[in-house]
Amino acid sequence: MSILIKNGCVVTASESYIADIYVEGQQIVAIGQKLEYGADKMIDATNKLVFPGGIDPHVHLDMPFMGTHSSDDYETGTRAALHGGTTMVIDFILQTQGDTLHNALKTWQKKSKGKAIGDYSYHMAVTDFNDDVAKEVVQMIEDEGISSFKTFMAYKGALMIDDGQMVELMKVVKEYGGVVTVHATNGDMIDSLIAENKAEGNLSPLYHYLSQPEITEAEASGRFTDMLYYTDCPGYIVHMTCEGALNAVRRVTRRNQKVFVETCMQYLMLDASLYEKDFEGAKWVMSPPLREKKDQIALWSGINQGLIQVVGTDHCPFMWKQKKMGENDFSKIPNGHPGIEHRMELLFSEGVHKGRISLPKYVEVTSTNAAKIFGMYPRKGTIAIGSDADLVVFDPNKEHVISAKTHHMNCDYSAYEGHKAKGKTETVLLRGEIAIENGECKLKPGHGQFIRRNKTSKTVI
Ligand SMILES: [Zn+2]
């Protein structure tokens, strides 16, 4: 199949210009003006923007949690992502403490095989580190194409590793060219604040927020970057929410460290006042929690200052009845919210349309930087000859209202219900095939491919 996209404004992380794009098979074959190819299909992109397909490096599909699972699986989750212009996601495999990484990998392969519609990869969460796991880390990088390792500084007894394990993991990952990613919050402090609130009978969603103050994230972010400095390992802090944590990173940039930062759409747009809505606040119970308006200002500045490289979602939806598991105890509310579908549109509306970020910066943080940091560039993350034809034709002027009634995520509420956005994903190509057209998904489950990733050291200077 061949497709010719005519007259679009092609946007990459470095420039934007009017051009035609010719796609043959799975890749971009030519970019130029007045291209004359006899293509099977022509798309008129006059007055439209053309972006590289979005990459969301932080999603949880079909994730086990407290005896239940996040409500989007690989089929519904990657379909919803495509509707919004995200052509690839990176999910998290969770090692069970006491078990191997390879067993965890098999479990997640079963979840995705034959179901994914969009492309995907996995981060490997190391929740139990020892000499045997160290050997498996090397095998993941060398044999499986998985070069990023997630760690938790919170959730003791389930996911957390201690600082000694963290340093040993960093040494191995550094040696073999990967990257260590982190949920950076001080788990011990948070656990004691949760216990204190529960003992005092403070059980509403507001106390989820009050049990995770900014300092718990700032402290852990600083500690993580110090361990990176000691081991000279590249690191990536997921879902950063606040000024204090950003300042911890700002301080260590003076040491010329390789530390990358991701924030998520919700932290740029929503704030903690939502937790004052009694139990309805459970819709936004996630960790870390939403913060203050001053933190949003700091995060937008961090994007423009180059301290924050990626905007993801931490998509981890639960149905309202699942959220109700915590009706009488905030600590039993499943953590997470639906976000995978609207990241590209919301960031365009809030960022580009409102004049906070430029078009190239938008592409950088929605696609290019994730591709570079996670070892997929330039196959993914840009519009260039030879790159995968993952392309989004985007109408910058179309207004629409976000609602659970019209979204494609398998979740019965929206975190942004009624929000008016300007700019809408119109047509999406995934590896040269039409994925989304006229509001419909044209691809079948099983179309999505597992993308083997290179070492981070090969794509990041
Ligand atoms: Zn997450």
Side-chain angles (χ1 to χ4, degrees):
M1 170 122 179
S2 58
I3 300 174
L4 183 60
I5 302 173
K6 294 284 287 179
N7 276 323
C9 177
V10 176
V11 189
T12 69
S14 53
E15 65 255 313
S16 57
Y17 52 91
I18 306 288
D20 305 337
I21 300 172
Y22 179 65
V23 171
E24 206 174 76
Q26 303 199 11
Q27 293 171 335
I28 295 167
V29 169
I31 302 168
Q33 288 181 332
K34 297 181 183 152
L35 291 184
E36 291 189 13
Y37 286 90
D40 299 330
K41 185 179 174 74
M42 214 268 284
I43 297 171
D44 179 9
T46 308
N47 298 325
K48 307 282 164 62
L49 303 171
V50 185
F51 302 135
I55 298 170
D56 187 343
H58 194 153
V59 306
H60 301 278
L61 302 174
D62 199 4
M63 186 190 83
F65 183 83
M66 290 168 62
T68 184
H69 285 80
S70 58
S71 58
D72 264 322
D73 61 14
Y74 270 80
E75 179 181 336
T76 61
T78 58
R79 184 189 291 126
L82 285 168
H83 274 283
T86 293
T87 50
M88 168 150 187
V89 299
I90 312 183
D91 193 6
F92 292 82
I93 297 176
L94 302 177
Q95 176 196 15
T96 303
Q97 292 189 336
D99 203 351
T100 66
L101 301 186
H102 282 92
N103 280 342
L105 173 60
K106 278 186 207 134
T107 303
W108 259 260
Q109 284 169 334
K110 271 191 213 129
K111 290 174 192 283
S112 53
K113 197 157 188 246
K115 291 194 88 174
I117 302 175
D119 284 353
Y120 62 97
S121 177
Y122 313 115
H123 304 285
M124 177 61 74
V126 177
T127 63
D128 191 2
F129 187 77
N130 53 45
D131 290 346
D132 291 333
V133 173
K135 291 186 194 113
E136 288 194 284
V137 164
V138 178
Q139 289 158 358
M140 288 297 147
I141 298 174
E142 300 289 352
D143 306 334
E144 304 293 344
I146 296 172
S147 52
S148 50
F149 298 87
K150 170 80 179 290
T151 58
F152 292 87
M153 296 170 85
Y155 308 115
K156 199 179 232 171
L159 300 169
M160 180 170 149
I161 55 172
D162 65 30
D163 292 349
Q165 291 174 305
M166 180 75 88
V167 166
E168 293 308 312
L169 171 66
M170 284 175 173
K171 286 182 187 166
V172 179
V173 171
K174 155 75 187 165
E175 187 179 345
Y176 289 87
V179 59
V180 173
T181 81
V182 70
H183 172 117
T185 61
N186 184 316
D188 286 343
M189 269 178 88
I190 292 166
D191 287 347
S192 85
L193 285 167
I194 291 171
E196 207 175 290
N197 273 316
K198 285 171 71 166
E200 286 171 15
N202 298 326
L203 299 169
S204 71
L206 177 64
Y207 292 92
H208 168 79
Y209 165 64
L210 294 173
S211 299
Q212 298 200 37
E214 180 179 4
I215 196 71
T216 59
E217 191 181 333
E219 184 280 329
S221 300
R223 183 156 36 102
F224 177 73
T225 55
D226 283 343
M227 291 186 280
L228 289 177
Y229 180 66
Y230 175 69
T231 56
D232 194 27
C233 181
Y236 177 99
I237 301 175
V238 306
H239 57 39
M240 186 177 282
T241 69
C242 58
E243 189 181 17
L246 189 65
N247 282 339
V249 171
R250 184 175 277 122
R251 277 194 297 277
V252 304
T253 55
R254 293 181 194 157
R255 299 191 296 216
N256 209 14
Q257 276 184 241
K258 282 191 194 120
V259 50
F260 306 104
V261 176
E262 164 200 287
T263 188
C264 297
M265 199 56 233
Q266 62 273 24
Y267 301 121
L268 292 165
M269 270 184 79
L270 307 175
D271 68 72
S273 62
L274 291 166
Y275 298 124
E276 288 161 14
K277 295 182 164 199
D278 295 324
F279 190 68
E280 203 198 334
K283 288 179 179 172
W284 300 277
V285 163
M286 58 185 79
S287 292
L290 301 173
R291 301 287 186 195
E292 309 289 322
K293 292 254 188 272
K294 61 106 183 158
D295 297 300
Q296 294 178 358
I297 294 166
L299 295 174
W300 283 110
S301 313
I303 290 174
N304 276 318
Q305 291 160 354
L307 286 169
I308 296 174
Q309 288 81 14
V310 174
V311 178
T313 61
D314 197 5
H315 174 76
C316 190
F318 292 97
M319 293 288 191
W320 189 238
K321 70 169 190 294
Q322 294 174 293
K323 287 280 185 180
K324 278 192 155 177
M325 289 159 57
E327 202 161 14
N328 302 311
D329 177 353
F330 71 86
S331 69
K332 298 205 163 55
I333 301 170
N335 278 218
H337 84 303
I340 201 168
E341 185 167 348
H342 297 118
R343 176 183 69 121
M344 301 283 283
E345 292 169 348
L346 287 171
L347 189 67
F348 185 87
S349 188
E350 294 296 307
V352 180
H353 177 60
K354 292 192 174 170
R356 289 173 166 134
I357 59 172
S358 69
L359 269 176
K361 178 60 88 174
Y362 171 83
V363 167
E364 204 187 307
V365 299
T366 55
S367 181
T368 312
N369 284 345
K372 286 183 177 171
I373 294 166
F374 296 114
M376 299 178 280
Y377 189 83
R379 178 181 176 188
K380 303 284 189 192
T382 193
I383 298 178
I385 292 166
S387 293
D388 278 3
D390 299 344
L391 296 166
V392 179
V393 179
F394 193 88
D395 184 341
N397 295 312
K398 184 152 183 186
E399 294 185 8
H400 59 114
V401 177
I402 290 174
S403 172
K405 292 191 192 82
T406 49
H407 74 202
H408 300 85
M409 297 176 282
N410 186 36
C411 188
D412 52 4
Y413 76 89
S414 169
Y416 304 96
E417 188 67 41
H419 181 85
K420 289 193 185 82
K422 189 164 181 179
K424 192 158 187 2
T425 299
E426 202 173 79
T427 306
V428 179
L429 271 65
L430 173 62
R431 281 180 283 105
E433 288 195 51
I434 300 284
I436 302 292
E437 194 174 48
N438 300 323
E440 274 178 43
C441 183
K442 306 286 186 189
L443 299 177
K444 299 265 177 297
H447 187 88
Q449 277 184 7
F450 172 75
I451 303 296
R452 288 179 67 88
R453 294 188 282 117
N454 286 320
K455 299 180 180 192
T456 288
S457 57
K458 290 208 168 144
T459 46
V460 181
I461 299 159

